[in-house]
């Protein structure tokens, strides 16, 4: 059983995160975020749908997004101790422990990424959901982010006017302000974030890369 689960997890990881970096995507040449996408591919964080197609405008699923956050931010449970080995079904009602993303979902929960217990891993992530989970991960990586401003010193005390922030709960509005203020994401020309829109794979790649730079985890390509 362990061997079977390990093999299934490996297949899922390869699908999401590690096609050969020698392959170039044919569909990102004119995509905003092409360099960030290539970085994440080359560092085995987020891959294409195939070896040559990234599908930058496709919506990111929850499973893909969580796995990318866990890998990109190097979240882990190495220093945690358990009475028994944890598994995804300990925390989620609809995540199969044999699914390729189950370990990432479990690690995300144990690192403070707040996913609903009944989350559907195949569902599309919204821009607001991804931004919230990303910031929760950033706070795990750099607990002093508010004081230090990250490695770039990007955080300020200036409030950000996000015209459509009230589409989110108040706690997530505060997180979104920090995401914008830190430079992880930006607003459109009307100062809207569109938090309820599906996040595209390209948008997620740019935000994740910016978070890696903010926390000093982006390596030289």
């Amino acid at each position: 059983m362990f061997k079977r689960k390990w093999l299934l997890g490996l297949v899922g990881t390869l699908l999401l995160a590690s096609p050969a970096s020698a392959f170039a995507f044919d569909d990102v040449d004119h995509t905003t975020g092409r360099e960030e996408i290539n970085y994440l591919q080359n560092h085995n964080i987020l891959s294409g749908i195939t070896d040559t197609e990234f599908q930058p405008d496709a919506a990111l699923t929850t499973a893909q997004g969580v796995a990318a956050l866990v890998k990109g931010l190097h979240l882990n449970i190495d220093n945690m101790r358990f009475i028994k080995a944890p598994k995804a079904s300990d925390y989620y009602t609809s995540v199969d422990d044999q699914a390729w993303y189950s370990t990432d979902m479990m690690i995300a929960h144990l690192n403070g990424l707040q996913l609903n217990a009944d989350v559907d891993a195949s569902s599309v992530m919204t821009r607001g959901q991804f931004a919230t989970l990303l910031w929760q991960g950033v706070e795990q990586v750099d607990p002093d982010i508010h004081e230090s401003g990250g490695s770039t010193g990007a955080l300020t005390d200036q409030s950000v006017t996000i015209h459509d922030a009230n589409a989110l709960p108040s706690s997530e509005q505060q997180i979104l302000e920090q995401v914008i203020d830190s430079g992880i994401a930006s607003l459109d020309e009307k100062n809207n974030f569109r938090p309820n829109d599906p996040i595209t794979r390209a948008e997620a790649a740019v935000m994740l890369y910016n978070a890696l730079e903010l926390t000093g985890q982006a390596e030289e390509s």
Side-chain angles (χ1 to χ4, degrees):
M1 180 64 71
F2 174 80
K3 183 177 181 181
R4 179 173 177 268
K5 180 176 180 181
W6 180 85
L7 288 172
L8 289 171
L10 177 61
V11 170
T13 300
L14 290 172
L15 176 65
L16 178 73
S18 59
S21 60
F23 290 103
F25 295 130
D26 295 335
D27 56 353
V28 300
D29 287 347
H30 305 291
T31 298
T32 299
R34 177 172 59 89
E35 293 183 1
E36 290 90 342
I37 290 169
N38 288 335
Y39 174 92
L40 296 179
Q41 180 208 17
N42 291 334
H43 288 78
N44 298 331
I45 296 170
L46 184 66
S47 77
I49 301 302
T50 69
D51 287 337
T52 58
E53 290 186 3
F54 183 75
Q55 296 187 13
D57 297 326
L60 189 77
T61 68
T62 297
Q64 292 171 343
V66 169
L69 292 175
V70 168
K71 291 177 176 64
L73 294 169
H74 304 294
L75 302 179
N76 60 73
I77 57 172
D78 295 350
N79 295 321
M80 299 182 188
R81 297 292 177 264
F82 304 92
I83 297 176
K84 67 178 183 68
K87 54 187 179 180
S89 60
D90 293 334
Y91 312 107
Y92 306 103
T93 59
S94 301
V95 175
D96 186 346
D97 289 323
Q98 305 302 322
W100 64 264
Y101 50 80
S102 65
T103 297
D104 292 317
M105 295 287 289
M106 177 264 294
I107 291 174
H109 174 87
L110 292 171
N111 278 273
L113 275 63
Q114 297 173 15
L115 292 147
N116 291 334
D118 61 351
V119 63
D120 178 0
S122 66
S123 63
V124 170
M125 265 193 170
T126 66
R127 289 165 54 83
Q129 288 170 338
F130 187 81
T132 297
L133 293 175
L134 177 56
W135 189 256
Q136 289 170 350
V138 165
E139 290 182 317
Q140 292 297 315
V141 172
D142 186 354
D144 299 321
I145 188 72
H146 301 283
E147 288 74 26
S148 67
S151 63
T152 63
L155 293 182
T156 70
D157 292 329
Q158 298 177 353
S159 60
V160 181
T161 301
I162 305 171
H163 288 166
D164 56 356
N166 58 5
L168 295 172
S170 58
S171 60
E172 293 182 26
Q173 290 180 35
Q174 296 173 358
I175 289 177
L176 183 55
E177 289 178 1
Q178 293 166 325
V179 168
I180 299 300
D181 195 35
S182 69
I184 288 176
S186 59
L187 304 175
D188 64 18
E189 65 279 1
K190 295 182 179 179
N191 271 19
N192 290 322
F193 183 72
R194 298 178 289 110
N196 291 326
D197 284 3
I199 189 165
T200 68
R201 290 166 53 81
E203 290 170 338
V206 171
M207 289 173 61
L208 178 53
Y209 178 81
N210 289 342
L212 300 186
E213 281 211 316
L214 178 69
T215 55
Q217 295 189 88
E219 303 171 5
E220 291 296 328
S221 300

